[in-house]
């Protein structure tokens, strides 16, 4: 659940101003990505490798998406450019998600007060 402002503490005009501000500030990033950025250290299959003594290989960076119950898409981000793009896309998605959650909270509160 995304945290939002405490809408019940704001007046109706304040809620409406915040709503207008949210709507005017919404920009859809063309590169947004709904995913997680995961860093992992791994062991390999070699019997006497240093990773067997706790010095794991890595870090490796992955983009991980939940596609539904029990379905996950995961792939290695091989280059620094891919990693930067993934982090920026994920951040853009989270920012939009926070704005949508706050807009929903405001609209719910306005509905509850009968002030729509
Ligand atoms: Zn190894």
């Amino acid at each position: 659940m995304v945290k939002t402002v405490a809408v019940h503490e704001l007046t109706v005009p304040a809620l409406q101003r915040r709503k207008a501000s949210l709507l005017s500030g919404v920009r859809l990033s063309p590169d947004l990505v709904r995913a997680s950025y995961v860093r992992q250290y791994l062991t390999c299959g070699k019997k006497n490798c240093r990773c067997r003594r706790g010095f794991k290989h890595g870090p490796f960076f992955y983009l991980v998406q939940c596609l539904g119950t029990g379905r996950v898409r995961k792939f290695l981000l091989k280059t620094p450019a891919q990693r930067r793009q993934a982090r920026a896309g994920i951040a853009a998605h989270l920012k939009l998600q926070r704005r949508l959650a706050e807009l929903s909270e405001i609209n719910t509160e306005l509905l509850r007060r009968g002030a729509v």
Side-chain angles (χ1 to χ4, degrees), residues 42-52 55-57:
L42 303 171
T43 54
C44 69
K46 295 177 188 168
K47 197 172 180 180
N48 294 318
C49 186
R50 64 181 174 90
C51 67
R52 300 289 172 165
F55 302 101
K56 293 183 177 180
H57 302 282

